[in-house]
Amino acid sequence: MVFLEQSDSIVLRLNNLDFDESLVFTGHGAKENNYLINMFLQNEVVNNKILRMSQASPEKFENDLDSIKAIFQKNFDEFKTKYKTSDLFNEIAQANIDYNFYAQKELYPFTCYGNTERKNLDELPDGFYDYRSNIDYNNEKLKNYFPYYNFLKYHFNNIALQSHFKHSKDSIFNNKSLDYNLDKIKFIDSLVSNDSIKNSLLKFAAYRYVNSSNQIDDYTPYLNSFLEKSTSKKNNEQITSLIESLINLKPGNTLPNTLVSNNAGEELHLTDFIKGPTAIYFWSYNMKNHFIESHKKIQELRKKYPEIDFVAINIDNNEDSWVTYLKQHQYPLKNEYHFMHPEISKQILALNTINRVMLIKKDRTIVNGNTNMFSKHFEVELLGLINQ
């Protein structure tokens, strides 16, 4: 993001190999932007340090965190005094400091691994979350500002979990729990009145829940609660369509059909090449790390589970480049396909995350329409598929 005020004239320069590490601004208004990019880079370093600090007791963690925040605050106070910055810049830069460090406190019960999340929360000292009384849940100026929006996501995760523990016997964080996720959107609805911020948080929460949960019977009550709270017609249609598609992918249902092409350009139906137990996974040019890691993982799994056909489908709109891309990375073209109509196919298969893997029986019925090859349980699922 770039901060611009009236009469600013800014030139930016960067090395696209280093990108943010090389980004430098010059011109009128450059000092503020150089300050913000330097703060961004410092936060990246500090956040890794804070993750290690999170293993300490809450008292020591809080003390060390306050010490780091004080350094950031001192540097900012000196900067705004030296350059006589505007009120708007001061508000944004201060929010950057405050909400970044508030977020670390919200994350603490989840990142301290010595105990369960319930015990971590129970052991927090009085006043650990005193800053919550100063949170502005409806800051129009900050609604698209990453530190603020990111904090709100962590914050609602945390207060929903605290509430969930009060009326459940759970002791660990379960992001698949219907009750927990209902608590989360309840708090978003009750504390956020700005429609733009509220609808964005509700949509993000819905996608996170649906992508993590395989409890399809829970989707309808969740959708009903979501639609009561969301005022965005577009978001409502998207989440409704996603959940309806996922319900169609319920285990035991027949795999929906959609058009794909092979490396010879031949048009096929998705079900044409399912001759035995099949695992279907997906990739995109835009997710290079996932593309490489998923293909590497599948190469290993093919050797361990020769009974299963591992099928890859490219989801990008360019219908010519996917074969070239595979050849460039020296991957075999066998069992590689491409959606003929990506947007339609992604909707039919409720494909809103590239990490999804679908497990299909020989008779083309679904065993699991939403699993992940990087899950520690994935190979157990593959064995179950073989034994179907």
Side-chain angles (χ1 to χ4, degrees), residues 281 288-304 329 331-332 336 373-374:
Y281 66 106
K288 184 176 180 180
N289 286 342
H290 174 268
F291 165 75
I292 292 172
E293 292 302 318
S294 61
H295 279 74
K296 180 180 176 182
K297 179 76 172 178
I298 293 301
Q299 285 179 329
E300 297 171 1
L301 293 173
R302 280 195 175 113
K303 295 176 183 177
K304 295 176 70 173
H329 289 82
Y331 287 123
E336 292 278 354
M373 72 173 72
F374 300 107

Coordinates of all heavy atoms in Angstrom, one line a residue, residues 281 288-304 329 331-332 336 373-374:
Y281 N -6.5 -33.9 -7.4 CA -6.0 -32.7 -6.8 C -5.9 -31.6 -7.8 O -6.0 -31.9 -9.0 CB -4.7 -33.0 -6.1 CG -3.5 -33.3 -6.9 CD1 -2.5 -32.4 -7.2 CD2 -3.4 -34.6 -7.5 CE1 -1.4 -32.8 -8.0 CE2 -2.3 -35.0 -8.3 CZ -1.3 -34.1 -8.5 OH -0.2 -34.4 -9.3
K288 N 2.8 -21.3 -7.3 CA 4.0 -22.1 -7.7 C 4.5 -23.0 -6.6 O 4.8 -24.2 -6.9 CB 5.1 -21.2 -8.2 CG 6.3 -22.0 -8.8 CD 7.4 -21.1 -9.3 CE 8.5 -21.9 -9.9 NZ 9.6 -21.0 -10.4
N289 N 4.6 -22.6 -5.4 CA 5.0 -23.4 -4.3 C 4.1 -24.6 -4.1 O 4.6 -25.8 -3.9 CB 5.2 -22.6 -3.0 CG 6.4 -21.7 -3.0 OD1 7.3 -21.9 -3.8 ND2 6.4 -20.7 -2.1
H290 N 2.8 -24.3 -4.2 CA 1.8 -25.4 -4.0 C 2.0 -26.4 -5.2 O 1.9 -27.6 -5.0 CB 0.4 -24.9 -3.9 CG -0.6 -26.0 -3.9 ND1 -1.2 -26.4 -5.1 CD2 -1.1 -26.7 -2.9 CE1 -2.1 -27.4 -4.8 NE2 -2.0 -27.6 -3.5
F291 N 2.1 -25.9 -6.4 CA 2.3 -26.7 -7.6 C 3.4 -27.7 -7.4 O 3.3 -28.9 -7.7 CB 2.5 -25.8 -8.8 CG 3.0 -26.5 -10.0 CD1 2.2 -27.3 -10.8 CD2 4.3 -26.4 -10.4 CE1 2.7 -28.0 -11.9 CE2 4.8 -27.0 -11.5 CZ 4.0 -27.8 -12.3
I292 N 4.6 -27.1 -7.0 CA 5.8 -28.0 -6.9 C 5.6 -29.0 -5.7 O 5.9 -30.2 -5.9 CB 7.0 -27.1 -6.7 CG1 7.3 -26.3 -7.9 CG2 8.2 -27.9 -6.3 CD1 8.4 -25.2 -7.8
E293 N 5.2 -28.5 -4.6 CA 5.1 -29.4 -3.4 C 4.0 -30.4 -3.6 O 4.2 -31.6 -3.2 CB 4.8 -28.5 -2.1 CG 5.9 -27.6 -1.7 CD 7.2 -28.4 -1.4 OE1 7.1 -29.5 -0.8 OE2 8.3 -27.9 -1.8
S294 N 2.9 -30.1 -4.2 CA 1.8 -31.1 -4.4 C 2.3 -32.2 -5.4 O 2.1 -33.4 -5.2 CB 0.6 -30.4 -4.9 OG 0.7 -29.8 -6.1
H295 N 3.0 -31.8 -6.5 CA 3.4 -32.8 -7.4 C 4.5 -33.6 -6.8 O 4.6 -34.9 -7.1 CB 3.9 -32.1 -8.7 CG 2.8 -31.7 -9.7 ND1 1.9 -30.7 -9.4 CD2 2.3 -32.3 -10.8 CE1 1.0 -30.6 -10.4 NE2 1.3 -31.6 -11.3
K296 N 5.4 -33.0 -6.0 CA 6.4 -33.8 -5.4 C 5.8 -34.8 -4.4 O 6.2 -36.0 -4.3 CB 7.3 -32.8 -4.6 CG 8.5 -33.5 -3.8 CD 9.3 -32.5 -3.1 CE 10.4 -33.1 -2.2 NZ 11.2 -32.1 -1.5
K297 N 4.8 -34.4 -3.7 CA 4.1 -35.3 -2.7 C 3.4 -36.4 -3.4 O 3.5 -37.6 -3.0 CB 3.1 -34.4 -1.9 CG 2.3 -35.2 -0.9 CD 3.1 -35.5 0.3 CE 2.2 -36.2 1.4 NZ 3.0 -36.5 2.6
I298 N 2.8 -36.1 -4.5 CA 2.0 -37.1 -5.3 C 3.0 -38.2 -5.9 O 2.7 -39.4 -5.9 CB 1.2 -36.5 -6.4 CG1 0.0 -35.7 -5.7 CG2 0.6 -37.6 -7.3 CD1 -0.9 -36.5 -4.8
Q299 N 4.2 -37.7 -6.3 CA 5.2 -38.7 -6.8 C 5.5 -39.7 -5.8 O 5.7 -40.9 -6.0 CB 6.4 -37.9 -7.3 CG 6.3 -37.2 -8.6 CD 7.5 -36.5 -9.0 OE1 8.3 -36.0 -8.2 NE2 7.7 -36.3 -10.3
E300 N 5.6 -39.3 -4.5 CA 5.9 -40.2 -3.4 C 4.7 -41.1 -3.1 O 4.9 -42.3 -2.9 CB 6.2 -39.4 -2.1 CG 7.5 -38.5 -2.2 CD 7.6 -37.6 -1.0 OE1 6.7 -37.6 -0.1 OE2 8.5 -36.7 -1.0
L301 N 3.5 -40.5 -3.2 CA 2.3 -41.3 -2.8 C 2.0 -42.4 -3.9 O 1.5 -43.5 -3.6 CB 1.1 -40.4 -2.7 CG 1.2 -39.5 -1.4 CD1 0.0 -38.5 -1.4 CD2 1.2 -40.3 -0.1
R302 N 2.3 -42.1 -5.2 CA 2.1 -43.0 -6.3 C 2.9 -44.3 -6.0 O 2.5 -45.4 -6.4 CB 2.5 -42.4 -7.6 CG 1.4 -41.5 -8.2 CD 1.7 -41.2 -9.7 NE 0.6 -40.4 -10.2 CZ 0.7 -39.1 -10.6 NH1 1.8 -38.5 -10.5 NH2 -0.4 -38.5 -11.1
K303 N 4.2 -44.1 -5.5 CA 5.0 -45.3 -5.3 C 4.5 -46.1 -4.1 O 4.5 -47.4 -4.1 CB 6.4 -44.8 -5.0 CG 7.1 -44.2 -6.1 CD 8.5 -43.6 -5.7 CE 9.2 -42.9 -6.9 NZ 10.5 -42.4 -6.5
K304 N 3.9 -45.4 -3.1 CA 3.4 -46.2 -1.9 C 2.0 -46.8 -2.1 O 1.7 -47.8 -1.5 CB 3.3 -45.2 -0.7 CG 4.7 -44.7 -0.3 CD 4.6 -43.7 0.8 CE 4.1 -44.3 2.1 NZ 4.2 -43.3 3.2
H329 N 8.8 -28.0 -16.0 CA 9.2 -28.5 -14.6 C 9.4 -30.0 -14.7 O 9.6 -30.7 -13.6 CB 8.1 -28.2 -13.6 CG 8.0 -26.7 -13.3 ND1 7.4 -25.8 -14.0 CD2 8.6 -26.1 -12.2 CE1 7.5 -24.6 -13.5 NE2 8.2 -24.7 -12.4
Y331 N 7.6 -32.6 -15.4 CA 6.6 -33.5 -14.8 C 5.9 -34.3 -15.9 O 5.7 -33.8 -17.0 CB 5.6 -32.8 -14.0 CG 6.1 -32.2 -12.7 CD1 6.0 -30.9 -12.4 CD2 6.6 -33.1 -11.7 CE1 6.5 -30.4 -11.2 CE2 7.1 -32.6 -10.5 CZ 7.0 -31.2 -10.3 OH 7.5 -30.7 -9.1
P332 N 5.7 -35.6 -15.7 CA 5.0 -36.4 -16.8 C 3.6 -35.9 -17.0 O 2.9 -35.3 -16.1 CB 5.0 -37.8 -16.2 CG 5.1 -37.6 -14.7 CD 6.0 -36.4 -14.5
E336 N -2.7 -35.8 -16.1 CA -2.8 -34.3 -16.0 C -3.9 -33.8 -16.9 O -3.9 -34.2 -18.1 CB -1.5 -33.7 -16.3 CG -0.3 -33.9 -15.4 CD -0.4 -33.0 -14.1 OE1 -1.2 -32.1 -14.1 OE2 0.5 -33.2 -13.2
M373 N -3.9 -33.2 1.1 CA -2.8 -34.2 1.0 C -1.7 -33.9 2.0 O -0.9 -34.8 2.3 CB -2.2 -34.2 -0.4 CG -1.4 -33.0 -0.8 SD -0.6 -33.1 -2.4 CE -2.0 -33.0 -3.5
F374 N -1.7 -32.7 2.6 CA -0.6 -32.4 3.5 C -1.1 -32.6 5.0 O -0.3 -32.4 5.9 CB -0.2 -31.0 3.3 CG 0.4 -30.7 2.0 CD1 -0.3 -29.9 1.1 CD2 1.6 -31.2 1.6 CE1 0.2 -29.7 -0.2 CE2 2.1 -31.0 0.3 CZ 1.4 -30.2 -0.6

